[in-house]
Amino acid sequence: MFSSKINSNLVKRAAAAPLNRLYSQLALSVNVNLPNGTSYEQPTGLFINNEFVLPKQKKTFEVISPSTEEEITHVYEAREEDIDIAVEAAQAAFNSDWATGDPAARVKALLKLADLIDQNAETLAHIESLDNGKSLQCSRGDVALSSQCIRSAAGWADKINGSVVETGDTHFNYTRREPLGVCGQIIPWNFPLLMLSWKLAPALATGNTIVLKSAESTPLSALYMANLIKEAGIPAGVVNIVSGFGKIAGEAIATHQKIKKVAFTGSTATGRHIMKAAAESNLKKVTLELGGKSPNIVFDDANVSKAVQSLVAGIFYNTGEVCCAGSRIYVQEGVYDQVLSEFKAAAEGIKIGNPFDEDVFMGAQASYAQLTKILKFIEIGKNQGATLITGGERVDDKGYFIKPTIFGDVTKDMDIVKEEIFGPVVTISKFKTVDEIVETANDSPYGLAAGVHTEDINKAIDVANRIKSGTIWVNTYNDFHQSVPFGGYGESGFGREMGQESLDNYTQVKAVRIGLTKKN
Ligand code: NAP
Ligand code: MG
């Protein structure tokens, strides 16, 4: 594992992952060596009722390290019948004190879980870099925000209050905010641990129980977290975590009659499908955090060097595999040449390579499928007449590394300007006026995020108010905080993660109206 030997078959096999199954006698836990010389125990089973168990069919699938293209391990695959078992466990846990007892128990368990994440931070970060290919710098940031999200949710757990509604002395009315029941959560591969934490935190704080499916290409950190969940004292059945494929395990969650809500992060196409599946099964509630094509705008009066840092963070952070990546850069004409030259130099100066090197900023793309998708978009960009300013190719032919790529001379009808690429590929264009850039920024079915760079607070607020997206970053980018809600407008989805708003997606309001009898 993690030697320099290249198995050329792996590239083809990774591309065809769903076919890559075998029956095996895989142990429920395997020892994995990490590049820092340490090793850890990696669970491989399905986590149901606080135990790792074998799936009914005992099939496994391969987990590949994108930076070496080598196999890390296999994990067991959940199928429909396993999802049924996980849902039964979650339903039983929902009928227990977890949902109806003193929320102090939830506060305590979530605080403990946050502490355990901190105590295991280096192992978790290494697992994430090994499995996803992202740099250790990025993984460490994900781990830190994960524990903060869970700690923040712990603070809410005993403050989920209803209200008393006054309608006169003939009645007494009050509302309760009750949990929904068993929630299905389907997460992507770009932030495996962080997306798990964003989803678990509000669901657990409000007393729900969970069946979560990780992405097929990055199942490892979720399984490691399962051990911490048990150690934190979260009761059996409250959190069930399965590895598996979207079209089988994911579909079983989306269509399940006993799952009351599905929370999904991933592509707009799959989000659309999940909404249909929810509607056609039991009308389960749905929240979707989907794709984006976010504008990152630099005005003439911006602090240019600070703005350039935000442009770099906006598109090259996490190798561009970020739903809110600032993938459309617009620069006002007065500073265009300066910004382009500084941005190009910064992109070319990015250290890319072995994710475990401390000074590497960009690791590998998460999978062979993603690598080929990005390279295809680069070809389309060239074919449609855009100018390749820098990058546009793999770093070498081992590991899924792509150079930071900038395209100029683009027009709004080009695919690279309209479509989510989900990689380190950005377009840059010039604009003249505020009205023009607001119209251009909003010329997308997506609406996840936008960046505005200006030293004029009036302009910043005016533009922030007029851009139709769920997050606006002013003089910063990809800058998250556990207390600040995140989510989309338009085809970027609905529902919010993090912050107080995230709790709304996991409770329903019951109104109790009591007719009073007056006694003389
Ligand atoms: P995807 O299909 O949306 O996958 C996201 C999650 O949904 C994974 O857990 C996936 O399982 C699951 N899934 C897939 N099909 C499903 C179905 N029919 N029912 C229920 N769950 C299902 O995304 P992808 O194919 O991995 O990536 C394609 C593109 O999506 C990317 O290039 C990028 O543009 C976008 N994307 C966006 C985000 C985001 O944060 N908004 C994240 C990831 C990808 P499997 O892992 O088994 O497929
Ligand atoms: Mg992987």
Side-chain angles (χ1 to χ4, degrees):
M1 211 276 310
F2 223 82
S3 73
S4 57
K5 191 169 110 319
I6 304 169
N7 181 345
S8 58
N9 285 334
L10 281 181
V11 175
K12 280 182 234 124
R13 284 156 59 202
L19 300 174
N20 178 31
R21 298 176 195 166
L22 50 85
Y23 295 91
S24 75
Q25 299 292 315
L26 181 72
L28 282 170
S29 160
V30 295
N31 192 267
V32 173
N33 295 319
L34 293 169
N36 65 357
T38 64
S39 67
Y40 76 100
E41 281 300 310
Q42 173 65 53
T44 61
L46 312 182
F47 184 71
I48 298 176
N49 254 330
N50 274 6
E51 301 298 337
F52 288 100
V53 296
L54 294 174
K56 287 284 173 219
Q57 292 196 28
K58 300 188 182 57
K59 285 185 176 180
T60 68
F61 62 94
E62 187 180 39
V63 185
I64 289 170
S65 174
S67 59
T68 61
E69 304 183 30
E70 291 178 3
E71 181 184 299
I72 304 166
T73 180
H74 276 236
V75 294
Y76 280 104
E77 181 205 344
R79 301 177 70 86
E80 291 89 343
E81 58 275 22
D82 306 303
I83 298 299
D84 285 341
I85 294 168
V87 171
E88 289 307 320
Q91 186 60 57
F94 186 70
N95 297 336
S96 75
D97 274 0
W98 177 257
T100 50
D102 187 338
R106 304 203 295 266
V107 175
K108 191 175 167 202
L110 286 169
L111 288 175
K112 179 91 191 284
L113 180 59
D115 288 346
L116 285 169
I117 294 173
D118 289 343
Q119 286 158 24
N120 287 269
E122 272 303 281
T123 305
L124 281 165
H126 278 75
I127 296 172
E128 206 71 330
S129 290
L130 186 64
D131 195 4
N132 165 281
K134 65 173 72 189
S135 67
L136 212 42
Q137 288 180 20
C138 288
S139 296
R140 287 187 179 130
D142 295 358
V143 176
L145 185 54
S146 294
S147 72
Q148 284 301 85
C149 284
I150 288 170
R151 196 169 283 117
S152 176
W156 286 114
D158 58 356
K159 300 168 193 71
I160 310 295
N161 297 321
S163 59
V164 171
V165 183
E166 292 295 346
T167 62
D169 60 7
T170 59
H171 291 78
F172 178 69
N173 313 275
Y174 65 94
T175 62
R176 283 163 56 87
R177 288 176 65 193
E178 298 183 341
L180 303 174
V182 179
C183 297
Q185 303 189 324
I186 300 174
I187 58 170
W189 40 261
N190 53 338
F191 290 94
L193 178 72
L194 189 60
M195 292 304 101
L196 171 139
S197 305
W198 281 16
K199 296 229 176 323
L200 290 188
L204 293 177
T206 46
N208 295 279
T209 61
I210 295 156
V211 176
L212 178 143
K213 187 194 91 67
S214 55
E216 72 190 50
S217 52
T218 54
L220 300 187
S221 56
L223 294 174
Y224 190 86
M225 272 288 284
N227 270 331
L228 305 185
I229 285 165
K230 184 175 180 177
E231 195 181 339
I234 293 177
V238 169
V239 180
N240 305 278
I241 296 177
V242 299
S243 317
F245 299 111
K247 289 198 163 51
I248 299 167
E251 194 77 28
I253 289 173
T255 55
H256 207 285
Q257 292 294 339
K258 291 188 180 167
I259 291 183
K260 302 292 189 215
K261 180 229 164 80
V262 62
F264 169 79
T265 297
S267 63
T268 294
T270 303
R272 225 182 272 282
H273 176 81
I274 283 177
M275 207 167 160
K276 253 191 231 162
E280 285 168 8
S281 53
N282 62 343
L283 277 174
K284 55 179 67 64
K285 297 186 186 341
V286 180
T287 45
L288 302 174
E289 203 262 273
L290 307 175
K293 193 71 190 175
S294 300
N296 205 353
I297 303 163
V298 184
F299 286 99
D300 281 346
D301 56 4
N303 173 332
V304 167
S305 62
K306 213 171 141 200
V308 167
Q309 280 174 25
S310 285
L311 299 183
V312 169
I315 189 63
F316 301 129
Y317 179 73
N318 210 53
T319 63
E321 290 172 350
V322 182
C323 49
C324 49
S327 51
R328 293 186 286 149
I329 294 176
Y330 299 102
V331 185
Q332 205 164 14
E333 54 190 359
V335 289
Y336 181 84
D337 291 342
Q338 185 191 354
V339 168
L340 177 55
S341 124
E342 289 188 24
F343 179 53
K344 176 173 182 282
E348 289 169 353
I350 286 175
K351 181 122 194 254
I352 174 167
N354 182 351
F356 297 97
D357 280 356
E358 293 287 339
D359 54 348
V360 158
F361 179 66
M362 273 176 57
Q365 308 306 139
S367 65
Y368 181 77
Q370 197 56 25
L371 175 90
T372 48
K373 177 182 167 186
I374 298 164
L375 292 174
K376 197 169 142 206
F377 267 113
I378 290 171
E379 281 317 299
I380 291 172
K382 289 193 242 173
N383 292 340
Q384 291 183 347
T387 302
L388 182 63
I389 293 169
T390 188
E393 57 188 5
R394 286 180 79 166
V395 172
D396 54 41
D397 58 4
K398 182 189 164 221
Y400 310 140
F401 299 96
I402 297 183
K403 286 186 182 168
T405 299
I406 306 173
F407 276 108
D409 300 318
V410 293
T411 54
K412 64 178 188 178
D413 54 326
M414 287 181 181
D415 288 344
I416 56 169
V417 176
K418 292 192 302 191
E419 308 280 335
E420 179 175 60
I421 300 173
F422 225 64
V425 180
V426 72
T427 62
I428 186 163
S429 8
K430 210 182 278 189
F431 72 92
K432 286 194 169 83
T433 68
V434 170
D435 287 347
E436 173 200 343
I437 193 54
V438 167
E439 193 185 327
T440 305
N442 287 333
D443 186 17
S444 168
Y446 294 119
L448 199 50
V452 177
H453 302 276
T454 170
E455 294 292 288
D456 178 347
I457 189 66
N458 294 302
K459 190 188 294 173
I461 292 175
D462 174 47
V463 174
N465 288 344
R466 289 163 67 190
I467 291 183
K468 297 184 190 342
S469 68
T471 292
I472 311 282
W473 280 297
V474 176
N475 296 334
T476 185
Y477 206 94
N478 273 341
D479 189 349
F480 297 92
H481 191 280
Q482 64 275 6
S483 303
V484 180
F486 179 79
Y489 280 25
E491 293 185 22
S492 292
F494 49 83
R496 293 292 177 269
E497 307 205 78
M498 300 197 292
Q500 190 173 1
E501 285 78 0
S502 66
L503 305 166
D504 298 341
N505 304 318
Y506 287 96
T507 57
Q508 51 198 345
V509 174
K510 175 176 283 171
V512 181
R513 178 159 162 84
I514 305 170
L516 300 176
T517 308
K518 272 200 176 168
K519 289 202 170 139
N520 294 320

